Amino acid sequence: MDLAGKNVVYLGGFGGIGQKCVQELLQRQIKALAIFDLTENVKLLDEWKTSNQNTDIFYQKLDITQKSDIEAAYKATAERIGHFDVVVNGSGLLDDRLVELTIQINLVGVINSTLTALEYMNKAKGGKGGLIVNISSVAGLQPTPLMAIYSTSKNGVTTFTRALGSPIHYDHCGVAFITICPGYTDTGILEDIEKKTTFPFFETSMRTVFNKVKRQTVEVCAENIVKAIETAKNGAVLMLELGEIHDLDIPNQWNPQLED
Ligand SMILES: NC(=O)c1ccc[n+]([C@@H]2O[C@H](COP(=O)([O-])OP(=O)(O)OC[C@H]3O[C@@H](n4cnc5c(N)ncnc54)[C@H](O)[C@@H]3O)[C@@H](O)[C@H]2O)c1
């Protein structure tokens, strides 16, 4: 997709990865950018507006755990810019001590945001189609023993996005889906990671290893997320690890036997 002239919604646009993705997107001469986030970063927003006067950049307050906030943010955005070509679900929480909140933000929130965005984008309902990008994680590709809750939420995001990335849905609604699975990326989410494990009270040698895992810079991760958006193939699951993009082939384990 050529991003020039496109309308983009970015959830979590003031976060570590979000900020850098926004900066990459703004270099593509997009037409409008709506940032949905929990709190406004007024300084950053002003800077972006000043240096990108041809793009309509605005903030919508949203707590992704609240369905009414999600609906209100998309409604206000549709009223302002008409339609969205790209939606990036990029908010998230990593703290296994907060079980319900992790599932609410990382999984239920992403599902509700996706379904609400689809109401506007679905060609079968008069929308223009487009692309929905859900940010999962390498922890959403396999179980991560020390982060069982986070990993469960992210595996949910991967499965949900792959399910909607089926041609069955694309043929019906004209909206493509991709799953982005970054590896460790240097942002605030990794701060005190050793205290945010599923069972923080016991020491394991794995925890030491956890802290030693190589990290990619947030700039490299953001460059590759935007590259992935530009080259998106419906249903793709892309692992963004240490500066490289890997297009994953995840085989089905079960193939249904059909009655004659
Ligand atoms: N940094 C990594 O190593 C890494 C690796 C894989 C995946 N990810 C994923 O990338 C995404 C961005 O993470 P990040 O590293 O930039 O972290 P971050 O903490 O810097 O950003 C998280 C963003 O989510 C927003 N958010 C949190 N709770 C919210 C709520 N209730 N409602 C609305 N917004 C809320 C925050 O305001 C922030 O903008 C997350 O989905 C994260 O799980 C990060």
Side-chain angles (χ1 to χ4, degrees):
M1 174 189 288
D2 178 5
L3 283 163
K6 297 293 193 296
N7 291 341
V8 180
V9 173
Y10 202 112
L11 284 84
F14 292 132
I17 292 176
Q19 286 185 21
K20 297 295 174 195
C21 282
V22 163
Q23 285 164 14
E24 283 290 318
L25 288 164
L26 289 173
Q27 288 172 22
R28 267 70 173 181
Q29 281 78 48
I30 57 175
K31 186 172 172 207
L33 174 67
I35 295 160
F36 295 2
D37 213 326
L38 200 51
T39 46
E40 183 172 8
N41 185 330
V42 178
K43 188 169 169 281
L44 199 53
L45 194 62
D46 280 349
E47 278 172 27
W48 288 340
K49 283 183 183 174
T50 308
S51 45
N52 299 278
Q53 297 197 358
N54 293 327
T55 305
D56 180 14
I57 308 171
F58 57 98
Y59 166 69
Q60 290 291 333
K61 183 170 175 49
L62 157 139
D63 177 348
I64 201 168
T65 68
Q66 304 300 311
K67 206 172 170 188
S68 54
D69 278 16
I70 296 173
E71 287 168 352
Y74 278 107
K75 184 166 183 282
T77 302
E79 282 167 5
R80 177 160 172 161
I81 60 177
H83 74 282
F84 344 112
D85 300 291
V86 179
V87 169
V88 183
N89 283 303
S91 27
L93 173 75
L94 190 163
D95 192 338
D96 267 21
R97 296 166 299 188
L98 306 172
V99 175
E100 285 82 2
L101 194 59
T102 300
I103 302 295
Q104 280 295 331
I105 291 175
N106 292 1
L107 182 55
V108 182
V110 168
I111 291 173
N112 282 333
S113 167
T114 301
L115 297 180
T116 309
L118 261 182
E119 288 294 309
Y120 294 90
M121 298 168 80
N122 187 344
K123 283 188 176 171
K125 292 191 171 182
K128 289 176 181 280
L131 172 69
I132 298 185
V133 179
N134 288 341
I135 311 275
S136 178
S137 166
V138 286
L141 292 170
Q142 61 207 39
T144 307
L146 294 184
M147 289 287 178
I149 314 302
Y150 180 78
S151 178
T152 299
S153 71
K154 292 296 189 177
N155 273 276
V157 170
T158 305
T159 301
F160 172 69
T161 315
R162 289 179 64 211
L164 291 192
S166 152
I168 296 172
H169 293 297
Y170 186 78
D171 293 348
H172 175 75
C173 68
V175 178
F177 287 85
I178 59 170
T179 311
I180 303 280
C181 300
Y184 269 45
T185 308
D186 231 340
T187 73
I189 212 169
L190 297 180
E191 263 168 38
D192 295 330
I193 190 167
E194 66 284 350
K195 296 189 186 130
K196 301 191 286 192
T197 52
T198 316
F199 303 111
F201 46 82
F202 66 83
E203 278 299 327
T204 67
S205 55
M206 270 186 78
R207 193 183 292 179
T208 319
V209 173
F210 217 44
N211 258 323
K212 284 189 179 168
V213 175
K214 280 192 185 168
R215 301 177 180 194
Q216 61 188 352
T217 65
V218 71
E219 287 81 5
V220 155
C221 180
E223 267 172 37
N224 282 340
I225 289 177
V226 175
K227 231 181 253 173
I229 293 173
E230 290 174 319
T231 55
K233 281 196 312 253
N234 184 37
V237 179
L238 302 165
M239 180 170 75
L240 271 48
E241 166 71 342
L242 298 175
E244 291 186 354
I245 302 181
H246 303 267
D247 192 345
L248 303 182
D249 180 20
I250 304 177
N252 283 345
Q253 301 296 326
W254 173 68
N255 290 301
Q257 304 291 310
L258 303 181
E259 303 274 2
D260 290 333

